[in-house]
Amino acid sequence: MEFTKKRADENQEQYGARLGKKLIARLDGVTDEAKIREITLSYWKPITQEFPNENSIKRPRKAFRNAIEEAFPASTIAKSGYYLTKAGKNKSERYEHLALWYSTTSKERWEVVGDNARTHYFANWGKPDQQAQQLEPPQPQQPETVQPAQTTLDDMNISQMLLDTETQQMVENAIAHSGMSLADFVRKACQVYAKTVTGKYGQYESDLTAVTTEDLLSSPTYKTHPGRAEELTRRAIYALETHNNNCTEKSQKWMITQTAIQALTGSKPATIKTILEKYKTRLEDHNKKHELNPYDNRKPGRKIDDEIDLSALVPDGLDVV
């Protein structure tokens, strides 16, 4: 279903909340667990596919579950379509809507249907499958094999690393300058590269929505952030739309173009061009609404970044749509 995909103009919370609201509309009056499971997973699975990482799914999951809890609040008495639980720190025993049971990243729980199955699930939580162990036939002893002698890092020489000639010479020169042994040099190289990779991964995972526009534009902390250009572009589009919608004269308006976005964000033209592909229909509709064309941006003696202060108009990305 196309509408279950995250839209380019919505953040993680908005995406989770949107699907949560669609879900509760479908669940109205439904009490059969099999049907609740089917409907819930049809909206929940797309979120898990969009955010497969446990850290990245936290915000959309919270918004999705909040929508369910608001529409179907917990109860102290049994209800159709609810299940008994006491999960959660410092929470008392209560009945919660079954949609919450299936709104989890644990795919194992998706297959646990019915109160009896849930009782068995909790009773065996974290325990080994003793019955399976008892039924497993004894394995015949395998003849002991002699393992070849392992070569440790300290025993290796550079030729065993199978480097190309140029790289091997470069490594040999670096080792000579460092005064390290080959083993110590390799350990240090692994440490440095691991920090670089994990640092970049952390940047990709971080959400820039709450970072101020001023910091995104000028702070060295975000200059190399891989998500910076897209977030600034998102804010610049919103700023231009807001500006144009509030103008009373056409001469005050600016067509939303790649060049206009570049002037406001300072991002590379090729990067902006790629990002704007996702907003193509939105920009065409806005420019058509205001009857704007590229000639409208030719304003002698006037610069777009002098008339539109991105930091002042959009202080952060929390309210950007």
Side-chain angles (χ1 to χ4, degrees):
M1 294 181 288
E2 191 67 26
F3 69 85
T4 60
K5 294 182 179 179
K6 182 179 179 297
R7 299 196 299 245
D9 61 348
E10 62 185 355
N11 60 31
Q12 294 169 321
E13 291 91 342
Q14 291 169 334
Y15 174 53
R18 177 170 64 84
L19 292 197
K21 290 176 182 177
K22 288 185 176 293
L23 167 65
I24 61 178
R26 290 277 308 279
L27 290 177
D28 185 30
V30 179
T31 57
D32 177 68
E33 178 164 0
K35 193 63 178 176
I36 291 174
R37 175 185 180 275
E38 177 188 352
I39 297 173
T40 300
L41 291 181
S42 69
Y43 289 93
W44 173 245
K45 282 183 179 180
I47 296 178
T48 65
Q49 292 163 358
E50 187 78 27
F51 301 100
N53 180 277
E54 181 60 30
N55 288 328
S56 62
I57 202 174
K58 287 181 179 179
R59 293 188 177 188
R61 175 174 56 197
K62 182 178 180 182
F64 185 81
R65 289 175 64 88
N66 282 348
I68 298 171
E69 290 173 337
E70 288 176 10
F72 306 105
S75 172
T76 56
I77 58 174
K79 288 185 176 183
S80 297
Y82 280 61
Y83 73 102
L84 183 64
T85 181
K86 55 182 178 181
K89 188 176 180 181
N90 299 325
K91 288 192 174 183
S92 58
E93 192 172 72
R94 64 204 180 280
Y95 292 90
E96 288 188 345
H97 196 272
L98 283 163
L100 294 170
W101 171 259
Y102 296 108
S103 304
T104 172
T105 54
S106 173
K107 295 182 180 179
E108 180 184 358
R109 267 183 42 171
W110 297 355
E111 307 307 321
V112 180
V113 183
D115 291 336
N116 291 336
R118 273 184 288 277
T119 300
H120 180 75
Y121 174 82
F122 285 122
N124 291 278
W125 178 260
K127 295 180 181 179
D129 191 340
Q130 296 177 354
Q131 184 179 9
Q133 291 178 352
Q134 292 169 0
L135 295 176
E136 186 176 351
Q139 298 296 318
Q141 288 189 337
Q142 298 295 325
E144 188 174 333
T145 56
V146 178
Q147 296 294 330
Q150 297 294 315
T151 301
T152 67
L153 188 58
D154 293 299
D155 296 329
M156 287 184 67
N157 61 59
I158 197 166
S159 62
Q160 291 175 288
M161 300 177 72
L162 303 178
L163 303 173
D164 61 78
T165 304
E166 182 180 355
T167 302
Q168 179 170 327
Q169 185 61 56
M170 184 167 54
V171 172
E172 288 176 344
N173 292 340
I175 291 173
H177 286 301
S178 69
M180 297 180 182
S181 66
L182 172 62
D184 287 340
F185 186 85
V186 171
R187 291 188 185 100
K188 187 66 177 177
C190 288
Q191 181 187 44
V192 172
Y193 190 64
K195 287 182 178 179
T196 301
V197 171
T198 54
K200 284 291 184 183
Y201 178 77
Q203 283 190 327
Y204 274 107
E205 288 296 302
S206 63
D207 183 0
L208 297 177
T209 306
V211 179
T212 66
T213 301
E214 184 176 356
D215 281 344
L216 282 182
L217 288 170
S218 59
S219 173
T221 303
Y222 298 102
K223 281 291 185 181
T224 59
H225 193 292
R228 173 180 179 269
E230 181 151 6
E231 179 62 21
L232 282 175
T233 298
R234 189 173 76 94
R235 298 185 192 189
I237 291 172
Y238 181 70
L240 283 163
E241 289 175 335
T242 303
H243 172 83
N244 289 342
N245 289 338
N246 290 329
C247 287
T248 56
E249 302 292 335
K250 186 179 179 182
S251 61
Q252 300 171 321
K253 300 178 182 181
W254 296 83
M255 182 182 185
I256 305 179
T257 64
Q258 176 184 317
T259 304
I261 300 294
Q262 183 185 351
L264 293 178
T265 66
S267 300
K268 295 179 180 178
T271 303
I272 297 173
K273 182 179 180 181
T274 301
I275 296 169
L276 290 184
E277 286 297 319
K278 297 189 294 186
Y279 296 91
K280 184 177 180 181
T281 302
R282 175 175 171 176
L283 301 191
E284 287 177 349
D285 290 345
H286 177 83
N287 289 329
K288 184 177 180 180
K289 168 187 172 183
H290 291 278
E291 300 180 343
L292 295 169
N293 62 64
Y295 291 99
D296 291 310
N297 287 8
R298 297 182 181 180
K299 305 181 192 296
R302 295 164 58 187
K303 293 183 178 180
I304 189 170
D305 48 328
D306 287 337
E307 298 188 8
I308 298 178
D309 186 338
L310 185 58
S311 296
L313 199 56
V314 189
D316 55 49
L318 294 174
D319 297 322
V320 175
V321 295

